[in-house]
Amino acid sequence: MKSIVILISGRGSNMEAIVHACQREGWPARIAAVVSNKASAEGLQFAAAQGIATAVVDHKAFPSREAFDAELARVIDGFSPDVVVLAGFMRILTEGFVRHFEGRMLNIHPSLLPAFPGLHTHERAIEAGCKLAGATVHFVTPALDHGPIVLQAAVPLLAGDTAQDLSTRVLAQEHVIYPQAVRWLVEGALDTEDGVVRHREGAAQVRWGG
Ligand code: GRF
């Protein structure tokens, strides 16, 4: 049985989708803990109600990014995770932290990477006149919102869409592709070579959510 630790900063809807998929589909894994940098993260209540261990490491209590990341890594390591999942975890992580979990840490970003890393992705896609938008699950590397791509979902960007409209459309796809990608990692179904991730049995690593 593999152990998964999920990091959140807020709502935690991706975390919920992963918890539900793990239970429903009977993954060879358990969610060992949900960890947040904010005590007020709504997702912590859901996790606790599911009987999942929760922990808070408040970044404001630490003098530096390095000190915060060291404590965060210590807390995560306490749950002996095989897989670490960043699910709306809104902190930039130090290289040391990322290296410690490299190859077993995933992130989801609400754009078709490498387009629009960073914040305000939906506004930027609308301003750029994109006709496609989407979400990307990728392995975490020290560069923000970069790293080998596991799975992407594309959705249409329609005339008149607001950032909220697009966010809603993309989020529905996030809730499909993130559990799928975590499951693949748990099952050992992914190979990475020269920064390119392939599913061993050729499962589709793209999803159309139009
Ligand atoms: C998602 O859009 C995710 O892609 C981004 O932050 C948001 C988190 O939402 N990284 P939630 O907390 O999972 O509901």
Side-chain angles (χ1 to χ4, degrees), residues 18-87:
I18 292 164
V19 169
H20 285 315
C22 182
Q23 291 166 349
R24 192 178 57 233
E25 299 170 6
W27 298 0
R30 58 186 282 271
I31 312 301
V34 172
V35 180
S36 178
N37 62 312
K38 288 188 177 178
S40 60
E42 303 92 306
L44 289 173
Q45 290 166 24
F46 167 84
Q50 296 286 313
I52 298 169
T54 61
V56 175
V57 183
D58 182 353
H59 60 278
K60 293 202 203 90
F62 294 86
S64 67
R65 224 176 254 290
E66 285 72 19
F68 167 69
D69 279 10
E71 175 60 8
L72 184 62
R74 195 190 65 77
V75 169
I76 296 169
D77 282 342
F79 296 101
S80 306
D82 300 286
V83 171
V84 176
V85 175
L86 306 182

Side-chain angles (χ1 to χ4, degrees), residues 83-105:
V83 171
V84 176
V85 175
L86 306 182
F89 187 66
M90 301 303 283
R91 300 295 303 165
I92 292 175
L93 298 163
T94 56
E95 175 157 5
F97 181 94
V98 171
R99 295 278 182 226
H100 183 69
F101 296 108
E102 200 160 13
R104 55 187 169 124
M105 183 158 63

Side-chain angles (χ1 to χ4, degrees), residues 10-15 87-88 90 108-110 171 174:
R11 176 178 61 182
S13 68
N14 279 289
M15 177 269 296
M90 301 303 283
I108 192 160
H109 183 72
L171 192 65
E174 293 184 38

Side-chain angles (χ1 to χ4, degrees), residues 1 35 37 51 74 93 142 160 164 170 172-173 177 191 197 203 208:
M1 187 66 100
V35 180
N37 62 312
R74 195 190 65 77
L93 298 163
Q164 184 56 49
V170 169
Q173 297 305 313
I177 64 170
D191 286 324
V197 184
W208 172 241

